[in-house]
Amino acid sequence: MLSFEQKQAIIESFPELTKKQISLKRLNYHFEDSQYDKTIVVQQLHPNGNGFIFVGEGGPYEADERGLINIFDATEDDIKEMIRYSIALLSTKEEDASEEAGEQVWRNREGGELKLVNEDDLWNIYHGLNLEDSFESQEAAILYLKEEGFRRN
């Protein structure tokens, strides 16, 4: 298990996060450039090593009802991956997430094209006529597309 100091060093390696001390010597780390009211990425990091990372709902993580994952037993790689995911999720622009119907075309630098389509309460990604992947939220689908190097057309 990583110590409080080790977790703190990992978290503070992300220059886009701002540390704020709260009660009982706990720390929160905010992403001030969030496109949402939610800015806390790391919540209640405690000297005993306990704390939470915001990962939202409908993505690749099993979060609680608040969209948080406990990091008490997390590895360095787990913490880095979750923080990157959280920052990307909070960076998703409102205009990217505002289109509730229809289809969106996404392209990568190599000229590849994927379509994001809202169908039956799922956000489906298609390569041509083939289903590439499905997500429960548009935010998770957009995050996947961005991580794969695609940008909205």
Side-chain angles (χ1 to χ4, degrees), residues 88-107:
L89 187 62
L90 294 173
S91 296
T92 303
K93 294 181 182 176
E94 282 295 328
E95 61 263 18
D96 289 346
S98 65
E99 196 172 314
E100 291 296 323
E103 72 181 36
Q104 301 173 13
V105 177
W106 290 71
R107 289 192 173 86

Side-chain angles (χ1 to χ4, degrees), residues 80-142:
K80 286 179 177 180
E81 182 180 307
M82 286 186 276
I83 289 173
R84 281 192 292 270
Y85 180 87
S86 182
I87 290 171
L89 187 62
L90 294 173
S91 296
T92 303
K93 294 181 182 176
E94 282 295 328
E95 61 263 18
D96 289 346
S98 65
E99 196 172 314
E100 291 296 323
E103 72 181 36
Q104 301 173 13
V105 177
W106 290 71
R107 289 192 173 86
N108 65 10
R109 289 183 183 179
E110 292 79 33
E113 181 177 290
L114 295 176
K115 291 182 183 172
L116 176 60
V117 183
N118 183 338
E119 301 174 310
D120 301 321
D121 297 326
L122 290 175
W123 290 91
N124 296 321
I125 297 175
Y126 289 94
H127 180 256
L129 297 175
N130 297 321
L131 180 64
E132 177 89 13
D133 214 333
S134 288
F135 297 87
E136 293 180 9
S137 72
Q138 184 180 23
E139 291 81 9
I142 289 172

Side-chain angles (χ1 to χ4, degrees), residues 14 16-17 29-31 33-36 38-43 52-56 60-61 67-69 78-92 139 143 147:
F14 289 86
E16 54 268 74
L17 298 180
Y29 289 86
H30 293 254
F31 177 58
D33 292 332
S34 175
Q35 298 296 309
Y36 301 92
K38 174 75 175 169
T39 64
I40 299 175
V41 171
V42 180
Q43 185 172 321
F52 303 90
I53 294 179
F54 175 75
V55 293
Y61 299 101
L68 300 172
I69 291 186
D78 291 339
I79 292 171
K80 286 179 177 180
E81 182 180 307
M82 286 186 276
I83 289 173
R84 281 192 292 270
Y85 180 87
S86 182
I87 290 171
L89 187 62
L90 294 173
S91 296
T92 303
E139 291 81 9
L143 180 61
E147 287 177 344

